[in-house]
Amino acid sequence: MQPLVNDRYLRALLRQPVDETPVWMMRQAGRYLPEYRDVRTQAGDFMSLCRNPELACEVTLQPLRRYALDAAILFSDILTIPDAMGLGLTFGQGEGPRFARPVTCLRDVQQLPVPDPEDELRYVMDAVRTIRSALQGKVPLIGFAGSPWTLATYMVEGGSSKTFTRIKQMMVREPEILHALLAKLADSVCLYLNAQVAAGAQSLMIFDTWGGVLSTPAYRAFSLDYMARIVAGLTRESEGRPVPVTLFTKNGGQWLEAIADTGCDAIGLDWTVDLADARRRVGHRVALQGNMDPAMLYASASGIEQEVARILAEFGPGNGHVFNLGHGIAQDVDPAQPTHFVDAVHRLSRPYHR
Ligand code: 1CP
């Protein structure tokens, strides 16, 4: 394997000195890019794109050709695991995900297999290997998975939800069924992430998009504890380098200390969190990733620049900051906009690293 040319992202996650604050964007590959839409049309549908390592590699690299990003993220989805468990995943045109066979009872949970990453999910590992070789060591590759709680919301609701009625009914009426599901998912996610590292992923991120809909005790019991179990089982070194792990709970700003207690290397923050406050609370223990509101990408170039300057000042001088959006980039963002964002982070962050 080639040596890594730009390792700012990995260094910042480990709170080591860097020359500029590294930056990447959640959902940096996707529908806001016309070249992505072309490849997706060529693939036929979203899952066919994910299952084709050459095309998945191509869309992973697309944003890196346009912007000076410091990391690549595997093009795939968090729902590959429930799909591999046999739930029958489809993405309708312009719709969210749907499962043909949602999980409703203990029998359903007991019948779910723990997928073998090099068998049912081999297409993901092949994508990791293809991307890693195509990157030629330019920037590190991020592997990822969904948190057990977030995956369970889709599996029990049968798709996206605004109210989480079914999974919350399960949580309060039959918590043992939900725990059985979450335990199986934690085992599956751990195997899946470790296989991504073996295939060449250099950093790992767990997306807990829906942990923030829980009460504090429920968050601990149904989301955080299972993420902690995963963190404890992950491969933390590969190719002679640490493999940093980032946990992102959207709307999880009130639980930063507890998230840091899992032993992760970094915490992803949405835009509702004050970075200075977060740094005071946990910055001596973990790196922080975030946290510009993705809506700022609708602003003028100078508006974006001012917001980047504000966030850099909020974090302040020193190590341990990875710049990112607080959630995924919106589909209708003009692809010219991220250039202003990414360039501003690099240019304006230099004085903070002297
Ligand atoms: O129509 C299309 O082309 C599909 C749109 C799309 C894309 C581009 C989906 C369907 N998934 C993805 C890729 C994806 N998903 C990536 C890799 C791309 C990149 O980051 O560059 C990643 C990391 C994800 C992760 C993901 N998928 C999350 C966690 C992060 C987050 O945004 O909160 C979640 C919740 C999903 C589920 C999912 N997959 C797709 C959609 C539309 C959704 C969200 C459904 C919902 O809102 O409930």
Side-chain angles (χ1 to χ4, degrees):
M1 281 290 177
Q2 279 114 329
L4 202 47
V5 178
N6 171 355
D7 64 354
R8 275 184 203 121
Y9 164 75
L10 295 181
R11 292 182 61 82
L13 288 175
L14 299 167
R15 290 175 297 133
Q16 294 168 356
V18 288
D19 56 343
E20 296 170 356
T21 302
V23 54
W24 66 283
M25 296 185 291
M26 279 174 66
R27 297 289 195 102
Q28 62 193 20
R31 280 180 287 191
Y32 73 105
L33 291 176
E35 60 269 36
Y36 169 82
R37 296 194 296 268
D38 289 347
V39 175
R40 188 184 188 275
T41 307
Q42 190 189 331
D45 59 63
F46 175 70
M47 283 311 287
S48 304
L49 174 51
C50 292
R51 286 201 178 91
N52 183 321
E54 275 69 41
L55 295 184
C57 176
E58 167 57 24
V59 295
T60 300
L61 300 181
Q62 285 173 346
L64 297 159
R65 293 188 193 117
R66 281 186 184 254
Y67 319 115
L69 298 159
D70 295 291
I73 180 161
L74 161 69
F75 188 85
S76 190
D77 198 78
I78 63 167
L79 300 178
T80 52
I81 287 184
D83 180 55
M85 287 176 154
L87 267 56
L89 174 64
T90 49
F91 285 90
Q93 200 62 38
E95 285 170 45
R98 267 197 196 291
F99 285 111
R101 293 171 289 281
V103 170
T104 59
C105 59
L106 188 59
R107 236 177 82 92
D108 289 348
V109 176
Q110 285 165 342
Q111 284 174 353
L112 292 175
V114 170
D116 175 348
E118 284 290 358
D119 186 356
E120 297 96 311
L121 291 161
R122 186 173 192 101
Y123 67 93
V124 178
M125 305 312 143
D126 287 340
V128 171
R129 287 183 276 263
T130 307
I131 298 163
R132 196 43 215 285
S133 130
L135 280 171
Q136 299 182 296
K138 284 193 188 99
V139 292
L141 176 61
I142 306 168
F144 72 91
S147 72
W149 164 259
T150 292
L151 294 178
T153 65
Y154 291 98
M155 295 168 77
V156 173
E157 300 289 334
S160 304
S161 175
K162 288 202 164 69
T163 54
F164 302 95
T165 309
R166 291 197 178 101
I167 193 159
K168 287 199 172 182
Q169 282 175 348
M170 186 183 275
M171 179 177 83
V172 300
R173 290 182 187 161
E174 301 167 305
E176 64 292 347
I177 299 180
L178 186 52
H179 280 300
L181 174 58
L182 294 168
K184 203 166 254 188
L185 284 168
D187 290 346
S188 305
V189 168
C190 201
L191 286 171
Y192 182 62
L193 289 175
N194 284 339
Q196 290 184 35
V197 171
Q202 291 150 296
S203 163
L204 295 172
M205 180 149 169
I206 299 178
F207 291 98
D208 186 30
T209 306
W210 303 119
V213 304
L214 294 167
S215 69
T216 293
Y219 173 68
R220 273 190 180 277
F222 294 97
S223 183
L224 190 64
D225 278 2
Y226 291 95
M227 290 199 283
R229 236 190 250 193
I230 294 166
V231 172
L234 290 177
T235 309
R236 300 296 279 273
E237 207 190 289
S238 178
E239 304 173 48
R241 278 190 89 123
V243 179
V245 178
T246 304
L247 301 188
F248 170 72
T249 293
K250 185 154 177 277
N251 271 305
Q254 56 183 323
W255 303 313
L256 301 183
E257 293 84 352
I259 297 171
D261 284 341
T262 61
C264 63
D265 297 284
I267 303 181
L269 304 173
D270 66 34
W271 61 92
T272 65
V273 178
D274 180 287
L275 261 187
D277 182 48
R279 193 176 183 191
R280 265 192 304 276
R281 287 163 59 196
V282 295
H284 56 293
R285 299 168 60 200
V286 291
L288 298 171
Q289 176 176 281
N291 68 346
M292 191 173 87
D293 184 342
M296 284 308 300
L297 292 177
Y298 298 126
S300 64
S302 72
I304 292 174
E305 197 166 300
Q306 277 172 39
E307 182 65 358
V308 166
R310 183 190 71 76
I311 291 169
L312 287 170
E314 201 169 86
F315 186 85
N319 309 319
H321 184 204
V322 172
F323 218 113
N324 204 313
L325 306 174
H327 197 213
I329 184 168
Q331 279 178 50
D332 58 356
V333 162
D334 178 343
Q337 292 289 82
T339 307
H340 306 308
F341 167 62
V342 172
D343 292 353
V345 173
H346 286 306
R347 184 161 35 82
L348 302 177
S349 65
R350 287 200 151 256
Y352 291 95
H353 298 288
R354 274 206 276 269

